Amino acid sequence: MNHEIKLRTYEPGDPSKVCYFQYKLYERQYQFNGYYEQEMLSGMAELYDDLEGSQMWIAELDGKMVGDIAVVRRGKDRAQLRWLGVDMDAQGQGLGNRLLEAALSFCREKGYIHLFLGTLDILKPARHLYAKFGFHRTKSEFYNEWDTNREIYQEIWECELKPQTHGQRA
């Protein structure tokens, strides 16, 4: 049997599944409360506000969701990366890299130059990945809405993509 993780763009029904996947992932990994799901549900509707300029990718293994990421347009040349998640059993296998690469490739195709994302200081593997892809932290503030048992800081990370031109030197 072929146990290869496949990436695909989202289909109707996926946004609801992603909300549940993310909620269960962060509940299991970090003991987040239900307010995280509320944030996911309210934000997910933004995908439908701009189907041309936004996109989400689903990673599946044998038909089961094991990861996701999305891009939401925030202006002519600006976008937000959202909801990067990798199932705990699939972490450490390069799936986060693949998801980020898909999202950044989409951003380049759409001409987005200014990218930003929100994360938390306790999400160390994700933060490491963001830094590897050229993002840097620009803001940090106390935030414990999803977990009142520890001090957590919400962070904004930003990245400037170089516009692609044919024959451009790396």
Side-chain angles (χ1 to χ4, degrees):
M1 195 168 189
N2 185 2
H3 297 290
E4 179 187 327
I5 295 176
K6 296 181 178 8
L7 291 189
R8 64 172 176 78
T9 54
Y10 77 100
E11 302 165 353
D14 284 340
S16 301
K17 292 177 194 170
V18 167
C19 287
Y20 184 74
F21 169 78
Q22 288 264 337
Y23 167 66
K24 293 310 279 183
L25 174 66
Y26 288 110
E27 177 191 50
R28 181 177 162 206
Q29 197 166 9
Y30 296 101
Q31 297 75 51
F32 284 179
N33 60 36
Y35 288 114
Y36 180 68
E37 184 181 27
Q38 180 183 7
E39 145 73 20
M40 286 288 306
L41 288 166
S42 64
M44 197 60 68
E46 294 177 331
L47 272 175
Y48 293 102
D49 292 342
D50 185 357
L51 293 174
E52 177 65 27
S54 302
Q55 186 57 268
M56 183 184 338
W57 293 263
I58 308 296
E60 292 180 324
L61 177 62
D62 299 329
K64 178 183 177 234
M65 185 182 301
V66 293
D68 69 281
I69 194 169
V71 172
V72 177
R73 180 178 6 206
R74 297 293 186 206
K76 180 178 170 280
D77 63 357
R78 184 173 168 82
Q80 181 179 9
L81 277 154
R82 303 208 69 183
W83 312 306
L84 172 62
V86 175
D87 186 270
M88 289 172 69
D89 297 332
Q91 290 177 7
Q93 300 174 37
L95 181 55
N97 283 301
R98 287 179 61 197
L99 287 163
L100 258 171
E101 286 166 359
L104 293 178
S105 177
F106 175 82
C107 289
R108 285 185 180 95
E109 287 172 22
K110 294 294 180 181
Y112 302 146
I113 298 168
H114 311 284
L115 303 180
F116 71 98
L117 60 88
T119 190
L120 300 172
D121 64 332
I122 63 171
L123 305 180
K124 298 197 184 323
R127 292 166 80 242
H128 174 79
L129 196 57
Y130 299 142
K132 176 180 162 183
F133 278 82
F135 285 84
H136 59 279
R137 187 179 63 202
T138 58
K139 185 177 178 184
S140 178
E141 63 185 20
F142 180 71
Y143 183 85
N144 76 338
E145 208 169 299
W146 301 334
D147 180 348
T148 56
N149 298 318
R150 60 184 152 186
E151 271 195 27
I152 297 175
Y153 287 83
Q154 188 173 41
E155 301 175 339
I156 301 297
W157 288 55
E158 298 187 47
C159 174
E160 301 291 316
L161 286 181
K162 305 257 188 292
Q164 277 189 321
T165 58
H166 295 293
Q168 180 178 345
R169 291 193 314 261

